[in-house]
Amino acid sequence: MPEHMPIMIGDKAIEKFIEFCQQKQYEKLMIVADKNTARALGDRVFQAVKQKEWDVIYHVLDPEGLHTDEITLTRVLNAYDAIPRLFVAVGSGTITDTVRFTSHRSQNQFVSFPTAPSVDAYTSKNAPVTINHLKGSIYCHAPIAIFTDLPTICASPKFLTASGFGDLISKLTAPSDWKMSHLIWDADFDEEIYASGLRAGQRAAEVVDGIRTADPKSMIAMMEGQFASGFCMADFGNSAPASGGEHHIAHVWEMMFHWEKKEGLYHGHAVGVAAIICAEWYQRLKALSRKDAGVLLERSEIPSRSAQIAAIEKNLPRIAEELIESDPIYLQLSDPEKFKTICERILDRWDDVQATAVVVPDADAIRGWIKSLGGPVTPQELGVTKEQVEIAIDYAHYLRERFSINILRKLFGW
Ligand SMILES: [Zn+2]
């Protein structure tokens, strides 16, 4: 395993950060927060730096409608004065990803002060960024250190904790999708990273009662799970270990909200609901015999290439061109020879395919955990329309090169 950045979790995060800057001689800084995270922690970080009389730019964004998109990135770059600085992200997903991108593209390092256990992306090298209406995972870099102020994490709003749990619990479906891509589609795979991702999801399920009461020990376990999940993606070099079919469904909803300029959809909430949907498909897979799978595959009909392209253009017009250009797996399966080979492979490796399903908990279990934290468990609760649910379920598998349960269930006609 590659070496990871130092991570501090406790009640002396700011003091540790100041010591870190002194040791590394970082005396020029650029702190980025939004108004909420500034109040929660950013202002205190800024005051501590100012007391040292270091040269600091403190840029506080308006949280209203804040996304990691062209507008936010330009705002931060505009506030930056183009001299070498240590960037400091004080916030959760959007702020951290914004700083991850802007520091990387301006050739500066950054450190992260997480303010909520809401995402798994703190330790990641990739930033989900929406450019030209398409949300994609863009290669940037990881923070050189993480300073986690535990009281801030424990006091973070409940809905953010529930969102983080939804993202973390997807580590019980995403690793299976990844392993299945390896078995069926020869995707690159790493057993150790797979186990680490899965462990992060299992641990979240174990400490859910403590998370509900913001018990510090459970919140530490949750943050560690989020960090581990980010390491899985960073170590593997892409998001495959921690982001599967459930993330693709969630990404479609997130993009739809963005296109409609609608607010209020949290990543982990969407991922959690989508993970319940994927777990339902895994449940059907668990109950399927090799023989019945063979019958279903025999009956399976893949729409022609032109029919699929027309459907993508009709249902996801804003990103259709990029999706088609990426030559997604399901589109490739319109070639009868390829489809035949894949069907044979699924049946040849049936026991292994089944083993990917066995580690996924039943949908009811995931639903119960998320519900107990006050998080949404249905698309309706997310504010997603019936039509958007259908489009995401039917087209999300075009989003990434992954042989997820979203594709397999299509082959089975579910
Ligand atoms: Zn995620």
Side-chain angles (χ1 to χ4, degrees):
M1 285 274 187
E3 213 175 295
H4 296 141
M5 80 287 285
I7 293 180
M8 189 265 151
I9 308 180
D11 53 10
K12 295 212 166 22
I14 296 178
E15 289 96 317
K16 297 277 180 200
F17 166 65
I18 296 294
E19 280 171 26
F20 174 86
C21 290
Q22 280 168 329
Q23 269 172 17
K24 306 264 178 191
Q25 295 178 328
Y26 285 119
E27 295 188 357
K28 288 187 177 21
L29 302 120
M30 164 100 186
I31 304 173
V32 181
D34 67 36
K35 280 181 191 156
N36 295 331
T37 66
R39 218 177 305 122
L41 185 62
D43 290 351
R44 280 185 285 140
V45 177
F46 174 59
Q47 288 306 331
V49 169
K50 260 187 72 173
Q51 268 181 13
K52 289 280 160 197
E53 297 185 349
W54 292 339
D55 173 0
V56 55
I57 298 172
Y58 184 28
H59 190 64
V60 179
L61 292 153
D62 186 349
E64 195 68 27
L66 193 68
H67 295 282
T68 311
D69 57 11
E70 295 99 322
I71 295 169
T72 307
L73 298 174
T74 310
R75 279 186 185 149
V76 172
L77 286 173
N78 188 43
Y80 170 58
D81 58 1
I83 65 167
R85 288 182 184 275
L86 176 70
F87 278 49
V88 181
V90 184
S92 55
T94 305
I95 293 290
T96 311
D97 289 324
T98 297
V99 171
R100 190 189 315 281
F101 184 96
T102 51
S103 61
H104 182 256
R105 296 306 200 260
S106 62
Q107 299 188 7
N108 289 291
Q109 302 287 4
F110 87 104
V111 301
S112 154
F113 273 92
T115 53
S118 53
V119 285
D120 65 354
Y122 292 113
T123 50
S124 166
K125 286 181 184 166
N126 285 48
V129 179
T130 306
I131 289 178
N132 198 20
H133 310 297
L134 181 69
K135 185 170 178 161
S137 181
I138 295 183
Y139 185 81
C140 300
H141 59 186
I144 54 170
I146 298 179
F147 301 92
T148 316
D149 183 55
L150 190 57
T152 303
I153 297 295
C154 292
S156 67
K158 294 271 181 220
F159 71 95
L160 286 180
T161 303
S163 172
F165 184 84
D167 205 10
L168 198 51
I169 213 66
S170 76
K171 276 19 110 181
L172 293 175
T173 50
S176 292
D177 278 350
W178 183 33
K179 193 161 193 175
M180 196 144 65
S181 303
H182 170 61
L183 291 169
I184 301 175
W185 199 252
D186 282 334
D188 287 345
F189 183 74
D190 183 301
E191 198 66 51
E192 205 178 329
I193 295 175
Y194 162 81
S196 167
L198 194 58
R199 183 76 201 116
Q202 288 165 340
R203 187 92 184 95
E206 283 163 17
V207 297
V208 66
D209 290 334
I211 294 172
R212 185 166 48 245
T213 56
D215 152 61
K217 269 198 192 126
S218 304
M219 296 306 275
I220 290 175
M222 188 175 176
M223 284 309 290
E224 284 172 346
Q226 302 288 34
F227 295 145
S229 172
F231 284 140
C232 289
M233 295 188 268
D235 293 347
F236 188 63
N238 70 43
S239 64
S243 152
E246 76 297 317
H247 268 76
H248 305 156
I249 292 173
H251 281 161
V252 172
W253 290 332
E254 289 172 296
M255 282 192 280
M256 285 170 162
F257 265 59
H258 197 67
W259 298 334
E260 292 178 2
K261 297 197 179 2
K262 235 168 96 179
E263 295 301 329
L265 183 64
Y266 283 85
H267 173 72
H269 289 162
V271 170
V273 171
I276 294 170
I277 294 171
C278 292
E280 276 165 3
W281 290 329
Y282 269 112
Q283 232 167 303
R284 294 183 77 167
L285 178 60
K286 272 185 260 186
L288 192 69
S289 69
R290 184 180 182 281
K291 187 166 163 269
D292 289 343
V295 173
L296 292 178
L297 290 176
E298 190 72 34
R299 273 193 227 143
S300 188
E301 271 179 46
I302 307 288
S304 70
R305 193 177 169 84
S306 58
Q308 287 193 48
I309 288 175
I312 298 170
E313 283 170 343
K314 179 168 175 278
N315 289 288
L316 289 171
R318 300 182 83 142
I319 55 168
E321 206 183 316
E322 284 106 315
L323 292 185
I324 296 159
E325 242 172 52
S326 72
D327 198 19
I329 292 175
Y330 197 64
L331 203 52
Q332 294 184 41
L333 294 180
S334 60
D335 171 357
E337 277 306 306
K338 205 164 214 169
F339 179 54
K340 193 166 162 263
T341 312
I342 287 305
C343 288
E344 282 166 8
R345 182 169 270 206
I346 292 168
L347 297 174
D348 282 351
R349 301 191 171 175
W350 187 248
D351 290 347
D352 293 329
V353 169
Q354 276 285 315
T356 66
V358 167
V359 297
V360 180
D362 284 353
D364 271 348
I366 301 181
R367 198 178 283 119
W369 296 327
I370 296 176
K371 220 172 183 167
S372 77
L373 298 178
V377 293
T378 63
Q380 290 73 27
E381 287 174 82
L382 296 173
V384 176
T385 66
K386 202 165 164 276
E387 195 199 356
Q388 289 172 328
V389 175
E390 284 166 10
I391 292 177
I393 285 179
D394 278 338
Y395 295 89
H397 63 282
Y398 287 114
L399 247 59
R400 293 269 198 293
E401 182 71 2
R402 214 150 301 157
F403 208 104
S404 63
I405 189 75
N406 304 23
I407 291 186
L408 197 62
R409 68 101 196 176
K410 268 186 143 353
L411 302 190
F412 289 143
W414 294 341

